[in-house]
Amino acid sequence: KNEVEQSPQNLTAQEGEFITINCSYSVGISALHWLQQHPGGGIVSLFMLSSGKKKHGRLIATINIQEKHSSLHITASHPRDSAVYICAAGNKLTFGGGTRVLVKP
Amino acid sequence: NAGVTQTPKFQVLKTGQSMTLQCAQDMNHEYMSWYRQDPGMGLRLIHYSVGAGITDQGEVPNGYNVSRSTTEDFPLRLLSAAPSQTSVYFCASSYDTGTKDTQYFGPGTRLTVL
């Protein structure tokens, strides 16, 4: 069993739809990271959170420490949100396999 | 600030050749790390450094060497390249240890070993 697991692996949505990506982890954490990797390959940090909820624009990240679970939500999705979203946790950052999101116009 | 820079962007090696992947950051970050990304697998930690003169192994260190003589630079050396090292390599940095601070990633180096 991987220490950090994401679901789904792939997700296709129509523009405007609400998207949820899930991340479960079994490692101890001080913070959980959400990253975005665009088709060009570059990786950008979206959120780092250790409790509760964070919001940036149309992106919302939540974490439940007791359940060892985090979610990334995209509200009013747009084709430019098409990317791979990756969660990471643990003392030396173990990464999930990523969720490939495609938003169709 | 240039952020985290990596060179080269692309590289093709023959089995047994050696090379160094360069990584530099201009944000005065103490923590730097190298990852490899393979199809169908998540990013995996190769080596990391918590400051100049201090390095340690990650999850997949075999076949790679690192050194950290300055805060800014963290090169990754392949002493004798193997086809299994074909991958995309990312360097990252942060102020604090990797899990406690925002990670800044370089653009990546795509390496092919024939």
Side-chain angles (χ1 to χ4, degrees), chain A residues 8-45:
Chain A
Q9 284 186 307
N10 296 283
L11 186 159
T12 299
Q14 290 297 131
E15 184 173 355
E17 287 185 341
F18 183 87
I19 291 171
T20 295
I21 302 166
N22 296 300
C23 177
S24 296
Y25 56 91
S26 58
V27 293
I29 69 166
S30 54
L32 182 133
H33 296 253
W34 281 102
L35 310 168
Q36 181 189 56
Q37 185 170 28
H38 272 286
I43 300 174
V44 176
S45 178

